[in-house]
Amino acid sequence: MSRYDRQIKLTEVGLEGQEKLRNAKVLIVGVGGLGCPAAMYLAGAGVGKIGLMDHDKVDMSNLHRQVLFQESDVGRPKTVVAKERLEKQNSEVWFEVYEEPLTVDNAENIINQYDVVLDGTDNFETKYLINDACILTDKPWVFASIYKNEGQLSVFNYKNGPTYRCVFPKSTRQNISCEATGVLGVLPGILGTLQAAEVLKIILGAGEVLSGKLKLINMMQASEQTIKINKRPEEVEKIRKNGIAPVYIYCDLKNKEYWYLDVREVFEQPKPKGKKVLSIPMGDLTSRYQEIPNNQEVFVFCQSGKRSKNAIEILKNEFGFHNLKNVEGGIETIIDG
Amino acid sequence: MTVTIKYFGLVAEAAERFEEILELDGVLTASELKAQCLNGLAIADKESVQIAVNQNLDDKITLKDGDEVALLPPFAGG
């Protein structure tokens, strides 16, 4: 008996629908709290090709919600681990791994190779990037985002429908990740699963796709609401005409008098403004350490405070820096706003 | 007129409530009510907060008795 027997029995699927799934290509951007459950259900359903994109490595603090990963995976690239796990689940699916971030340069080319994009990202700049690249390549994308106990869900750019910029025309600096605010693992589990359901409906051409609507879910309050959204044609036209409009999120520092060293990768945001902020990613420290002042206090930061701690160890042990101070809580603790 | 306000995400957090019912006087658009509701709340980027009236995204509409207004900030987590 076919492994897909139980879904083929549904009138919405059938043998024809199963064939549609087998021929479908879905790109998952961000293999985290949302991307993990989504990938598992899409692989289970027999989606022919699944692209897994993430530049991050598995951290112990991911395990409560990123259900593809195990303790022994800590430190390994998320995409590689996810592929190994998912191949065991369904060897009929082709998994393509992208161990890199989605950028203005690669977005259109990569997205063009897929039918649908599933947004598992945790930041505004990538959401706008997915949105713009999907407008330019004419692909639908399934959006979800989380804040503490609440989630938002929608399908954008589906059959010429509204896009993310039609709901939120302007980006915001308030780039608040699950790491910063906290989240129960089940919430991205619910949202990621709902995203997978939307992807399946889009592929099957079945049911009512959540396009032109924004679903709001509050897991703690056990409440949900659906807001109707309209297309803002001028927002979509702007992108069609001028191409991707990259979102750079800048922020102000509470104290501009100090020297700061940002050891995050260049694509990580928000970017603090100021003349005394040096940006040297971890990988470049050994070649660029001479740029760091050594005669006055320098505050070293990253997103959470973990990498900056390692950076200080390296700079202290290998290059004799004794003036570096770690920003324990990461960037959110030193910015104004 | 009586208007129900629903707060979401960091707006709900700053307002310390998910919902409230307001008695309002005069003629008010949705965005004017938003400004009034967010006034004094610790929200860095008020412009990014969107407004829905009776489950329709719209900031220009003039409010009437019995309307339900939702204040929706963007979420980024995943």
Side-chain angles (χ1 to χ4, degrees), chain A residues 32-34 121-124 127 145-148 150-152 166-176 178 216 218 221 225-229 232 337, chain B residues 6-13 18 42-60 68 70 72-78:
Chain A
L34 298 165
T121 67
D122 62 356
N123 61 82
F124 290 119
K127 290 182 195 291
S145 272
I146 282 165
Y147 180 80
K148 294 192 179 172
E150 295 174 63
Q152 298 175 337
C166 304
V167 184
F168 299 108
K170 279 196 192 124
S171 183
T172 168
R173 188 206 66 68
Q174 295 190 318
N175 218 0
I176 302 167
C178 292
L216 309 164
N218 187 321
Q221 300 294 315
Q225 219 186 89
T226 306
I227 304 284
K228 201 169 155 279
I229 52 184
R232 300 192 200 208
Chain B
K6 294 212 174 226
Y7 296 95
F8 292 87
L10 49 82
V11 181
E13 211 165 49
F18 290 110
I43 296 165
D45 186 358
K46 290 176 181 167
E47 207 192 338
S48 68
V49 177
Q50 304 298 316
I51 317 161
V53 179
N54 301 329
Q55 291 84 46
N56 277 290
L57 210 65
D58 190 342
D59 57 355
K60 292 182 184 68
E68 183 182 298
L72 311 164
F75 297 172

Coordinates of all heavy atoms in Angstrom, one line a residue, chain A residues 32-34 121-124 127 145-148 150-152 166-176 178 216 218 221 225-229 232 337, chain B residues 6-13 18 42-60 68 70 72-78:
Chain A
G32 N 13.9 26.9 11.4 CA 13.9 27.1 12.8 C 12.6 26.6 13.4 O 12.1 25.5 13.0
G33 N 12.0 27.4 14.3 CA 10.8 27.0 14.9 C 9.6 26.8 14.0 O 8.8 25.9 14.2
L34 N 9.5 27.6 12.9 CA 8.5 27.5 11.9 C 8.9 26.5 10.9 O 8.1 25.6 10.5 CB 8.2 28.8 11.3 CG 7.7 30.0 12.1 CD1 7.9 31.3 11.4 CD2 6.3 29.8 12.5
T121 N 11.6 32.7 8.6 CA 12.6 33.6 9.1 C 12.2 34.3 10.4 O 11.0 34.3 10.8 CB 12.9 34.7 8.0 OG1 11.7 35.6 7.9 CG2 13.2 34.1 6.7
D122 N 13.2 35.0 11.0 CA 12.9 35.6 12.3 C 13.3 37.1 12.2 O 13.6 37.7 13.2 CB 13.7 34.9 13.4 CG 15.2 35.0 13.2 OD1 15.6 35.5 12.1 OD2 16.0 34.6 14.0
N123 N 13.3 37.7 11.0 CA 13.6 39.1 10.9 C 12.9 39.8 9.8 O 12.6 39.2 8.8 CB 15.1 39.3 10.8 CG 15.7 38.6 9.6 OD1 15.6 39.2 8.5 ND2 16.2 37.4 9.7
F124 N 12.7 41.1 10.0 CA 11.9 41.9 9.0 C 12.6 42.0 7.6 O 12.0 41.9 6.6 CB 11.6 43.3 9.5 CG 10.6 43.3 10.6 CD1 10.9 43.8 11.8 CD2 9.3 42.8 10.4 CE1 10.0 43.8 12.9 CE2 8.4 42.8 11.4 CZ 8.7 43.3 12.6
K127 N 12.0 39.1 5.5 CA 10.6 39.0 5.1 C 10.3 39.9 3.9 O 9.6 39.5 2.9 CB 9.6 39.3 6.3 CG 9.7 38.1 7.3 CD 8.8 38.3 8.5 CE 9.1 37.4 9.6 NZ 8.8 36.0 9.3
S145 N 4.8 34.8 11.5 CA 5.7 35.5 12.4 C 5.1 35.4 13.8 O 3.9 35.2 14.0 CB 5.8 37.0 12.1 OG 6.8 37.2 11.2
I146 N 6.0 35.5 14.8 CA 5.6 35.2 16.1 C 6.0 36.4 17.0 O 7.1 36.9 16.8 CB 6.2 33.9 16.6 CG1 5.3 32.8 16.0 CG2 6.3 33.8 18.1 CD1 6.0 31.5 16.1
Y147 N 5.2 36.7 18.0 CA 5.7 37.6 19.1 C 5.1 37.0 20.4 O 3.9 36.9 20.6 CB 5.1 39.0 18.9 CG 5.6 39.9 20.0 CD1 6.9 40.5 20.0 CD2 4.8 40.2 21.1 CE1 7.3 41.3 21.0 CE2 5.2 41.1 22.1 CZ 6.4 41.6 22.1 OH 6.9 42.4 23.1
K148 N 6.1 36.5 21.2 CA 5.7 35.8 22.5 C 4.6 34.7 22.3 O 4.9 33.7 21.7 CB 5.3 36.9 23.5 CG 6.5 37.7 23.9 CD 6.2 38.6 25.1 CE 7.5 39.4 25.4 NZ 7.3 40.3 26.5
E150 N 1.8 35.1 20.5 CA 0.9 35.5 19.4 C 1.6 35.2 18.1 O 2.8 35.2 17.9 CB 0.5 36.9 19.4 CG -0.3 37.4 20.6 CD -0.5 38.8 20.7 OE1 -1.1 39.4 19.8 OE2 0.0 39.5 21.6
G151 N 0.8 34.8 17.1 CA 1.3 34.6 15.7 C 0.5 35.3 14.7 O -0.7 35.6 14.9
Q152 N 1.1 35.6 13.6 CA 0.4 36.1 12.4 C 0.7 35.2 11.2 O 1.8 34.6 11.1 CB 1.0 37.5 12.0 CG 0.8 38.6 13.1 CD 1.5 39.9 12.7 OE1 2.4 39.9 12.0 NE2 1.0 41.0 13.3
C166 N 1.6 45.3 1.4 CA 0.3 45.9 1.4 C -0.3 45.9 2.8 O -1.2 46.7 3.1 CB -0.6 45.0 0.5 SG -0.1 44.9 -1.2
V167 N 0.3 45.1 3.7 CA -0.1 45.1 5.1 C 0.8 46.1 5.9 O 0.4 47.0 6.6 CB 0.0 43.7 5.8 CG1 -0.6 43.8 7.2 CG2 -0.8 42.7 5.0
F168 N 2.1 45.9 5.7 CA 3.1 46.7 6.4 C 4.0 47.3 5.4 O 5.1 46.8 5.0 CB 4.0 45.8 7.3 CG 3.2 45.1 8.4 CD1 2.9 43.7 8.4 CD2 2.6 45.8 9.5 CE1 2.2 43.1 9.4 CE2 1.9 45.2 10.5 CZ 1.7 43.8 10.4
P169 N 3.6 48.5 4.9 CA 4.3 49.2 3.8 C 5.8 49.5 4.2 O 6.7 49.5 3.4 CB 3.5 50.4 3.5 CG 2.2 50.2 4.1 CD 2.4 49.3 5.3
K170 N 5.9 49.9 5.5 CA 7.3 50.3 5.9 C 7.8 49.3 7.0 O 7.0 48.9 7.8 CB 7.2 51.7 6.6 CG 7.2 52.8 5.5 CD 7.5 54.1 6.1 CE 7.3 55.2 5.1 NZ 6.3 56.2 5.6
S171 N 9.1 49.1 6.9 CA 9.7 48.2 7.9 C 9.9 49.0 9.2 O 9.8 50.2 9.3 CB 11.0 47.7 7.4 OG 11.5 46.8 8.4
T172 N 10.1 48.2 10.3 CA 10.4 48.8 11.6 C 11.7 48.3 12.1 O 12.2 47.3 11.8 CB 9.2 48.4 12.5 OG1 9.6 48.8 13.8 CG2 8.9 47.0 12.5
R173 N 12.2 49.1 13.1 CA 13.4 48.7 13.7 C 13.2 47.6 14.7 O 14.1 46.9 15.1 CB 14.1 49.9 14.4 CG 15.5 49.6 14.9 CD 15.8 50.5 16.1 NE 15.0 50.3 17.3 CZ 15.0 49.2 18.0 NH1 15.8 48.2 17.7 NH2 14.3 49.1 19.1
Q174 N 11.9 47.5 15.2 CA 11.7 46.6 16.3 C 11.8 45.1 15.9 O 10.8 44.4 15.8 CB 10.3 46.9 16.9 CG 10.3 48.3 17.4 CD 9.1 48.6 18.3 OE1 8.0 48.2 17.9 NE2 9.2 49.3 19.4
N175 N 13.0 44.7 15.6 CA 13.3 43.4 15.1 C 13.4 42.4 16.3 O 14.5 42.1 16.8 CB 14.6 43.4 14.4 CG 14.5 42.6 13.1 OD1 13.5 41.9 12.9 ND2 15.6 42.5 12.4
I176 N 12.3 42.0 16.8 CA 12.4 41.3 18.1 C 12.2 39.8 17.8 O 11.2 39.3 17.4 CB 11.3 41.8 19.1 CG1 11.5 43.3 19.3 CG2 11.4 41.1 20.4 CD1 10.4 44.0 19.9
C178 N 12.6 35.5 18.7 CA 12.1 34.7 19.8 C 13.2 34.6 20.9 O 12.8 34.4 22.1 CB 11.8 33.3 19.3 SG 10.4 33.2 18.2
L216 N -4.7 36.1 12.9 CA -4.0 36.4 14.2 C -4.4 35.4 15.2 O -5.5 35.1 15.4 CB -4.4 37.8 14.6 CG -4.4 38.9 13.6 CD1 -5.2 40.1 14.1 CD2 -2.9 39.3 13.4
N218 N -3.7 34.0 19.1 CA -3.1 34.1 20.5 C -3.3 32.8 21.2 O -4.4 32.4 21.6 CB -3.8 35.3 21.2 CG -3.1 35.5 22.6 OD1 -2.7 34.6 23.2 ND2 -3.0 36.8 22.9
Q221 N -4.4 33.0 25.0 CA -5.8 33.4 25.2 C -6.8 32.5 24.4 O -8.0 32.6 24.5 CB -6.0 34.8 24.6 CG -5.2 35.9 25.3 CD -5.6 36.1 26.7 OE1 -6.7 36.2 27.0 NE2 -4.6 36.2 27.6
Q225 N -8.4 35.6 15.2 CA -9.1 36.6 14.4 C -8.6 36.6 13.0 O -7.4 36.4 12.8 CB -9.0 38.0 15.0 CG -10.2 38.8 15.0 CD -10.1 40.2 15.5 OE1 -9.8 41.0 14.7 NE2 -10.3 40.4 16.8
T226 N -9.4 36.9 12.0 CA -8.9 37.1 10.6 C -9.3 38.5 10.1 O -10.4 38.9 10.2 CB -9.5 36.0 9.7 OG1 -9.3 34.7 10.3 CG2 -8.9 36.0 8.3
I227 N -8.2 39.2 9.7 CA -8.4 40.5 9.2 C -8.3 40.5 7.7 O -7.4 39.9 7.1 CB -7.2 41.4 9.7 CG1 -7.2 41.4 11.3 CG2 -7.3 42.8 9.2 CD1 -8.2 42.2 12.0
K228 N -9.2 41.2 7.0 CA -9.2 41.3 5.6 C -8.2 42.3 5.2 O -8.1 43.4 5.7 CB -10.6 41.6 5.1 CG -10.8 41.3 3.6 CD -12.3 41.4 3.3 CE -12.4 41.7 1.8 NZ -12.2 43.0 1.4
I229 N -7.4 42.0 4.2 CA -6.4 42.9 3.7 C -6.6 43.2 2.2 O -6.9 42.3 1.5 CB -4.9 42.5 4.0 CG1 -4.7 41.1 3.5 CG2 -4.6 42.6 5.5 CD1 -3.3 40.5 3.9
R232 N -2.4 47.0 -2.1 CA -2.0 48.4 -2.4 C -1.1 48.3 -3.7 O 0.1 48.1 -3.6 CB -1.1 48.9 -1.2 CG -1.8 49.0 0.1 CD -1.0 49.8 1.1 NE -1.3 49.5 2.5 CZ -1.3 50.3 3.5 NH1 -0.8 51.5 3.3 NH2 -1.6 49.9 4.7
G337 N 15.3 52.7 22.4 CA 14.1 52.6 21.6 C 13.2 51.5 22.2 O 13.5 50.6 22.8
Chain B
K6 N -9.0 46.4 20.2 CA -8.2 45.1 20.4 C -6.7 45.4 20.2 O -6.3 46.0 19.2 CB -8.7 44.0 19.4 CG -10.1 43.7 19.7 CD -10.4 42.2 19.4 CE -11.8 41.8 19.8 NZ -11.8 40.6 20.6
Y7 N -6.0 45.0 21.2 CA -4.5 45.2 21.1 C -3.8 43.9 20.8 O -4.2 42.9 21.3 CB -4.0 45.8 22.4 CG -4.6 47.2 22.8 CD1 -5.7 47.3 23.6 CD2 -4.0 48.3 22.3 CE1 -6.2 48.5 23.9 CE2 -4.5 49.6 22.6 CZ -5.6 49.7 23.5 OH -6.1 50.9 23.8
F8 N -2.7 44.0 20.0 CA -1.9 42.8 19.7 C -0.5 43.1 20.0 O 0.0 44.2 19.9 CB -2.2 42.4 18.2 CG -3.6 42.0 18.0 CD1 -4.6 42.9 17.6 CD2 -3.9 40.6 18.0 CE1 -5.9 42.4 17.4 CE2 -5.2 40.2 17.8 CZ -6.2 41.1 17.5
G9 N 0.2 42.0 20.2 CA 1.7 42.0 20.3 C 2.2 43.0 21.3 O 1.7 43.1 22.4
L10 N 3.3 43.7 20.9 CA 3.9 44.6 21.8 C 3.0 45.8 22.2 O 3.2 46.5 23.2 CB 5.3 45.1 21.3 CG 5.4 45.6 19.9 CD1 5.0 47.0 19.8 CD2 6.9 45.4 19.5
V11 N 1.9 46.1 21.3 CA 1.0 47.1 21.7 C 0.1 46.7 22.9 O -0.1 47.4 23.8 CB 0.1 47.5 20.5 CG1 -0.9 48.6 20.8 CG2 0.9 47.9 19.3
A12 N -0.3 45.4 22.9 CA -1.1 44.9 24.0 C -0.2 44.9 25.3 O -0.7 45.2 26.4 CB -1.5 43.4 23.7
E13 N 1.1 44.6 25.1 CA 2.0 44.6 26.2 C 2.1 46.0 26.8 O 2.1 46.1 28.0 CB 3.3 44.1 25.7 CG 4.1 43.3 26.7 CD 5.2 42.6 26.0 OE1 5.9 43.2 25.2 OE2 5.3 41.4 26.3
F18 N -5.6 43.3 26.4 CA -5.8 42.9 25.0 C -7.0 43.6 24.4 O -7.2 43.6 23.2 CB -6.1 41.4 25.1 CG -4.9 40.5 25.4 CD1 -4.8 39.8 26.6 CD2 -3.9 40.4 24.5 CE1 -3.7 39.1 26.9 CE2 -2.8 39.6 24.8 CZ -2.7 39.0 26.0
A42 N 4.9 53.0 25.5 CA 6.3 52.9 25.2 C 6.4 52.0 23.9 O 6.7 50.8 24.0 CB 7.1 52.3 26.4
I43 N 6.2 52.6 22.8 CA 6.3 51.8 21.5 C 7.2 52.7 20.6 O 6.9 53.8 20.3 CB 5.0 51.6 20.8 CG1 4.1 50.7 21.7 CG2 5.1 51.0 19.5 CD1 2.7 50.8 21.4
A44 N 8.4 52.1 20.2 CA 9.4 52.9 19.5 C 8.9 53.3 18.2 O 9.1 54.4 17.7 CB 10.7 52.1 19.4
D45 N 8.2 52.4 17.5 CA 7.9 52.7 16.1 C 6.3 52.6 15.9 O 5.8 51.6 15.5 CB 8.6 51.7 15.2 CG 8.4 52.1 13.7 OD1 7.6 53.0 13.4 OD2 8.9 51.4 12.8
K46 N 5.7 53.7 16.2 CA 4.2 53.7 16.2 C 3.7 53.7 14.7 O 2.6 53.2 14.5 CB 3.7 54.9 16.9 CG 3.9 54.8 18.4 CD 3.5 56.0 19.2 CE 3.8 55.8 20.7 NZ 3.7 57.0 21.5
E47 N 4.5 54.2 13.8 CA 4.1 54.2 12.4 C 3.8 52.8 11.9 O 3.0 52.6 11.0 CB 5.2 54.9 11.6 CG 4.6 55.6 10.3 CD 5.7 56.0 9.4 OE1 6.9 56.2 9.9 OE2 5.5 56.1 8.2
S48 N 4.6 51.8 12.4 CA 4.5 50.5 11.8 C 3.2 49.8 12.3 O 2.9 48.7 11.8 CB 5.7 49.7 12.3 OG 5.7 49.4 13.7
V49 N 2.5 50.3 13.3 CA 1.3 49.7 13.8 C 0.2 49.9 12.8 O -0.1 51.1 12.5 CB 1.0 50.2 15.2 CG1 -0.3 49.6 15.7 CG2 2.1 50.0 16.2
Q50 N -0.4 48.9 12.4 CA -1.5 49.0 11.4 C -2.9 48.9 12.1 O -3.0 48.5 13.2 CB -1.5 47.9 10.4 CG -0.1 47.8 9.6 CD 0.1 49.1 8.8 OE1 -0.7 49.6 8.1 NE2 1.4 49.6 8.9
I51 N -3.9 49.4 11.4 CA -5.2 49.5 12.0 C -6.2 48.8 11.2 O -6.3 48.9 10.0 CB -5.8 51.0 12.1 CG1 -4.6 51.9 12.5 CG2 -6.9 51.1 13.0 CD1 -4.9 53.4 12.2
A52 N -7.0 47.9 11.9 CA -8.2 47.3 11.2 C -9.4 47.7 11.9 O -9.5 47.8 13.1 CB -8.0 45.8 11.3
V53 N -10.4 48.0 11.1 CA -11.7 48.4 11.6 C -12.7 47.3 11.2 O -12.9 47.1 9.9 CB -12.2 49.8 11.1 CG1 -13.6 50.2 11.7 CG2 -11.2 50.8 11.6
N54 N -13.4 46.7 12.1 CA -14.3 45.6 11.8 C -13.7 44.6 10.9 O -14.2 44.2 9.9 CB -15.6 46.1 11.2 CG -16.3 47.1 12.2 OD1 -16.2 47.0 13.4 ND2 -17.0 48.1 11.6
Q55 N -12.4 44.2 11.3 CA -11.7 43.1 10.6 C -11.3 43.5 9.2 O -11.1 42.6 8.3 CB -12.4 41.8 10.6 CG -12.5 41.1 12.0 CD -13.7 41.6 12.8 OE1 -14.8 41.7 12.3 NE2 -13.4 41.9 14.0
N56 N -11.2 44.8 8.9 CA -10.7 45.3 7.6 C -9.6 46.2 7.8 O -9.8 47.2 8.5 CB -11.8 46.0 6.8 CG -12.8 45.0 6.1 OD1 -12.4 44.4 5.1 ND2 -14.0 44.9 6.6
L57 N -8.5 46.0 7.2 CA -7.3 46.9 7.3 C -7.7 48.2 6.7 O -7.9 48.3 5.4 CB -6.1 46.2 6.6 CG -4.8 46.6 7.2 CD1 -4.6 46.0 8.6 CD2 -3.7 46.0 6.3
D58 N -7.7 49.3 7.5 CA -8.1 50.6 7.0 C -7.8 51.6 8.0 O -8.3 51.5 9.1 CB -9.6 50.5 6.6 CG -10.1 51.8 5.9 OD1 -9.4 52.8 5.9 OD2 -11.2 51.7 5.3
D59 N -7.1 52.7 7.6 CA -6.8 53.7 8.6 C -7.5 55.0 8.4 O -7.5 55.9 9.2 CB -5.3 53.9 8.8 CG -4.7 54.3 7.4 OD1 -5.4 54.3 6.4 OD2 -3.5 54.7 7.4
K60 N -8.2 55.1 7.2 CA -8.8 56.4 6.9 C -10.3 56.5 7.2 O -10.9 57.5 7.3 CB -8.6 56.6 5.3 CG -7.2 56.8 5.0 CD -7.0 57.0 3.6 CE -5.5 57.2 3.3 NZ -4.8 55.8 3.4
E68 N -15.3 47.9 15.9 CA -14.2 47.2 16.6 C -12.9 47.5 15.9 O -12.7 47.3 14.7 CB -14.4 45.7 16.5 CG -13.3 44.9 17.3 CD -13.5 43.4 17.2 OE1 -14.6 42.9 17.7 OE2 -12.6 42.7 16.6
A70 N -8.7 47.2 15.7 CA -7.6 46.3 16.1 C -6.3 47.1 15.8 O -6.2 47.7 14.7 CB -7.6 45.0 15.3
L72 N -2.5 46.6 15.1 CA -1.6 45.4 14.8 C -0.2 45.8 14.5 O 0.1 46.4 13.4 CB -2.2 44.8 13.5 CG -3.7 44.5 13.5 CD1 -4.1 44.2 12.0 CD2 -4.0 43.3 14.3
P73 N 0.7 45.5 15.4 CA 2.1 45.7 15.1 C 2.7 44.5 14.3 O 2.1 43.5 14.3 CB 2.8 45.8 16.5 CG 1.9 44.9 17.3 CD 0.5 44.9 16.7
P74 N 3.7 44.8 13.5 CA 4.3 43.6 12.8 C 5.1 42.7 13.8 O 5.6 43.2 14.7 CB 5.3 44.3 11.8 CG 5.6 45.6 12.4 CD 4.4 46.0 13.2
F75 N 5.1 41.4 13.5 CA 5.9 40.5 14.3 C 7.1 40.0 13.5 O 6.9 39.9 12.3 CB 5.1 39.2 14.7 CG 3.9 39.5 15.5 CD1 3.0 38.4 15.8 CD2 3.6 40.7 16.1 CE1 1.8 38.6 16.6 CE2 2.4 40.9 16.9 CZ 1.6 39.8 17.1
A76 N 8.2 39.7 14.1 CA 9.3 39.2 13.4 C 9.8 37.8 13.7 O 10.5 37.2 13.0 CB 10.5 40.2 13.5
G77 N 9.3 37.3 14.9 CA 9.9 36.0 15.4 C 9.6 34.8 14.6 O 8.6 34.8 13.8
G78 N 10.4 33.8 14.7 CA 10.2 32.6 13.9 C 11.0 31.5 14.6 O 11.2 30.5 14.1

